[in-house]
Every structure is written in C-alpha cells, then in structure tokens.
Amino acid sequence: MTGRRPDWIHPAFRLIEGEEVFGWADLAALQMPAGGVVQADRPSRVLAALAAAEVAGQGVLLARGGAESAGWQPGQGFSVTLESSGTTGTPKRLRHEFTRLRGRLRGRLRGVAEEGARWLLTYDPGAFAGLQVMLTAAAAGAVLIAVPGSGAGTIAALAQAARRHAVTHVSGTPSFWRAFLMALGDADLPLAAVTLGGEAADQPLLDRLAERFPQARLRHIYASTEAGALFAVADGRAGFPAAWLDAAPDGLDLRIADGVLEVRSPRAAPGAVDADGWLSTGDLVERRGDRVLFAGRLDGLVNVGGVKVSPEAVERCLLTVDGVADAAVVAVPSPITGHLLTATIVPVPGADESALRVALRAATADLPPAARPRALTFADHIPLSAAGKKSRKGSQ
C-alpha cells in the first residue's frame, strides 16, 4: 500500500512493535490482503489496513480469531467491522462508520503532537478498546508501544516493555491492572494517565491506582463494540453519577429497565439499536444514593438452587478484603443445585493464607447462601483472555 498519509495519523506518530519501529512510510509499505479481511493480531497491520480501506472507499473486517471471512461482505463505502470478545457468549460482528469510532477521541488537536506521550497497548489490536488506544496515539503524534503476540496473558512482558520505554499512558481492563501492579513490583513508571475499561472498575482498585500513581489522571471508561465509546468517569469513584440518568454527557441518554442499563448514543453501531435508537447493554446496575453501580452481566447470571446469582458481584465483594490482589468467581455444575460458585484468590505477596481464608469467609457471610463460594482456591495469577478479561465461558 502506498498513498497519502491519513489526517488521523499525525506525522510524528511512531509505533514500536517489539523490536520494529513504524512511522507512516513504514505502515504505507505494508502489503494488505485482498477482500478487506484482516487478521487483527498486530497494530501495524490494523493501522495500515484502515488507511488502505479509507483510500479505496471499502469496508474492512478486523478478524480477531483468524482471517476467515465466514460470509462477511464489505458493503458500500469505508466502514470498519469489529468482532466482540465473546466473553460470556458467541462473538458478534458489528459494522461501524469510522467517524463513529473516533467520536470521543478528544483533546487531540490536528497538527499538534502530544509531546512525550508514550502509550502501552494492552488490548487486542482488533478489539474496540485496542482500536481506541491506537487511534488516540496516532492522532496525538504519540509513541505506541506494543508487544506482539503477548495478549493479556503475558502481563510480565507488558510490564517489562512499560519499564523499558518509560510509558506515560496505560489503558487496560481492571483485571489487567491488578495483574500489572503485581508484575511491576516496586518499579516506578512516569504515568500521566491511567485508564480502565472493558470491565466494571471496583473501588478498591481505583483507590490502589490513585495511591500508586498520584500524579496520573485516573479515569474509567464505559464502552463496548455495540455501543461505541459512551462516557468516562474521572472522580475516582466506582460507577457513575445517578444524575446522568436525567442529563447524561456527550449527547447520551441513559435509563434503567428491569435492572439493566440501556443507552441511546450517536456512536452506537446502527445494527445494534432498536427502532427508537435504544440499546440494552446487558449490564446489571443498581442505584445507590447519588451513584449507579454495576452489578454484573445479565447473561452472566447463574442458577444456584433456584436463586439467580451474579459471579461478578460476588467477586467484587471478595476484592474488598485486605490481602486480596485479585479474585475470580465462576460457577461449576452441581447435580443438586444446578450450579455452585467457586473462587480463585490471588493473595498479595506475604499474605497469610489461613488468615485470609477466614477474612474471605467473613466478607461473604452476609451474602445469600447461594452467593457464597463453596470452595476457595489460592493461585499466583488468574488467566485472562486476549481481551484482558476473565473468561466466563463454560461457567454456566
């Protein structure tokens, strides 16, 4: 591919992908596959494919599980089709106009570089969140650091890259951040921005990040492949202000229907909304005082002895216990109750496991019996998916 540099790639932008360095000329020289289906395993390939598709006025599919088209058609004009992570179910494909994908990339004045910014790519390059990070860094003329093939499963490699390149901006899931903090140890990072997304941000983690990186701007972002980028919360508190249900920012409408958050947004994928423009996010929420808090996924509820239980809500209860670095709660089949909850706990270094076990039991004592984990297992880490999330597949 050769051609004019797109206006969404600043001339100062550089991508460091392992040991390779790419500027615009290097990206433009990459060969693109015919048909618009791109294996989205490297940011260099994704950025080059977007630029080529824009010039050609064609659609592009960022395939995360391989480069099989499986009946996909590019359609008319430049568009980007993304595949959802499928954390709790079957992955979906949703087509976005490129302008919608860039709808909330603010503070990036065209022609003005964000001097000294060094972003770490922790997300899958083909994921909505990964694309947002790449487009943000590209538009700002920043340096983007990527570790090819690392995914979220090799946090140590990402921590090493962060130290080596003295990154200043990191965006990742809460699950990634918990593992990343452990991998960093006592190492210093000159972070100016700490961003969380992809999962609900819990208060203990927000507090840990604020204490560890006091000079950094701390935000948690709510977005999805279907809804696009919706809003960011920057007050250091979990959830979002309840006042947004009456007057939401950024042209949004928010409402709660049967305990599920619904949104109406100019950045949502057209094929994901109903006739009135509303999209059910599938996220369970609870209004508590001046706050709306996330309580798990509707499709993540499991039946334990006739009681619907959210493993994510139980997980957040365990994460409040001192000495817990991370936790994962899943449901396993039971011939008597249908399912039972089990928990895997990652203790902070030096924690006494016997005392921690007692504290965890105490923390869940007030939960309904069906929501109390029947087994507690200790581990040194919790495996993450390529999206940086704890996989919920197979738990139901």
Side-chain angles (χ1 to χ4, degrees):
M1 176 191 72
T2 59
R4 179 181 58 84
R5 175 181 55 81
D7 61 5
W8 46 269
I9 297 182
H10 192 284
F13 171 67
R14 293 294 181 273
L15 166 64
I16 300 177
E17 193 175 86
E19 299 302 320
E20 296 183 83
V21 180
F22 296 85
W24 163 244
D26 307 293
L27 294 173
L30 295 179
Q31 293 295 116
M32 290 295 101
V37 181
V38 179
Q39 186 173 354
D41 57 347
R42 286 176 173 257
S44 57
R45 185 176 288 128
V46 171
L47 291 170
L50 292 176
E54 183 178 41
V55 170
Q58 298 177 350
V60 61
L61 167 64
L62 302 184
R64 300 172 67 182
E68 296 297 327
S69 62
W72 176 80
Q73 296 294 326
Q76 297 295 319
F78 178 42
S79 65
V80 183
T81 299
L82 300 175
E83 295 185 331
S84 65
S85 63
T87 303
T88 57
T90 303
K92 304 175 184 177
R93 285 177 176 170
L94 287 163
R95 192 185 307 267
H96 289 265
E97 295 177 7
F98 192 59
T99 53
R100 289 178 183 267
L101 288 175
R102 300 179 64 210
R104 289 199 79 256
L105 301 184
R106 295 177 171 175
R108 309 290 182 253
L109 299 177
R110 187 177 298 176
V112 178
E114 188 173 3
E115 185 176 354
R118 295 177 297 279
W119 282 83
L120 180 68
L121 181 63
T122 73
Y123 294 107
D124 186 331
F128 178 85
L131 194 56
Q132 291 285 293
V133 169
M134 291 188 293
L135 293 176
T136 298
V143 176
L144 178 65
I145 312 299
V147 180
S150 69
T154 53
I155 304 297
L158 291 167
Q160 182 180 19
R163 293 192 298 266
R164 177 183 175 188
H165 296 284
V167 298
T168 60
H169 293 60
V170 180
S171 177
T173 66
S175 293
F176 163 82
W177 275 109
R178 294 187 197 98
F180 189 65
L181 287 173
M182 294 189 68
L184 276 180
D186 296 329
D188 290 329
L189 281 184
L191 291 188
V194 170
T195 307
L196 300 88
E199 297 171 318
D202 58 281
Q203 196 62 53
L205 178 59
L206 291 171
D207 292 343
R208 285 174 62 195
L209 290 168
E211 181 179 3
R212 178 67 188 276
F213 306 109
Q215 304 303 317
R217 182 179 73 252
L218 176 62
R219 301 184 306 156
H220 52 104
I221 292 176
Y222 185 68
S224 71
T225 304
E226 298 86 355
L230 291 172
F231 56 78
V233 181
D235 60 8
R237 299 174 61 190
F240 62 88
W244 288 3
L245 294 172
D246 299 317
D250 299 324
L252 300 177
D253 291 308
L254 304 175
R255 68 185 184 188
I256 301 174
D258 297 325
V260 177
L261 181 66
E262 296 186 347
V263 302
R264 186 159 56 187
S265 168
R267 294 173 293 278
V273 301
D274 66 17
D276 296 321
W278 286 96
L279 166 68
S280 177
T281 66
D283 286 310
L284 299 168
V285 293
E286 300 174 354
R287 182 168 183 166
R288 296 184 188 176
D290 68 345
R291 213 72 179 169
V292 176
L293 300 176
F294 291 92
R297 291 281 302 169
L298 180 63
D299 55 9
L301 293 175
V302 294
N303 191 323
V304 180
V307 179
K308 291 290 187 179
V309 176
S310 168
E312 295 141 299
V314 178
E315 197 171 282
R316 282 193 280 278
C317 176
L318 300 177
L319 289 168
T320 65
V321 176
D322 288 341
V324 173
D326 204 355
V329 175
V330 299
V332 296
S334 167
I336 299 175
T337 62
H339 293 92
L340 291 173
L341 296 189
T342 66
T344 300
I345 305 297
V346 178
V348 300
D352 181 275
E353 291 190 4
S354 297
L356 191 53
R357 191 178 294 273
V358 172
L360 290 164
R361 294 296 187 194
T364 58
D366 292 334
L367 296 177
R372 300 171 196 164
R374 290 297 183 261
L376 292 175
T377 303
F378 290 89
D380 60 3
H381 76 285
I382 292 172
L384 303 181
S385 70
K389 302 178 183 181
K390 297 164 188 171
S391 177
R392 308 288 177 183
K393 289 181 179 179
S395 63
Q396 300 174 46

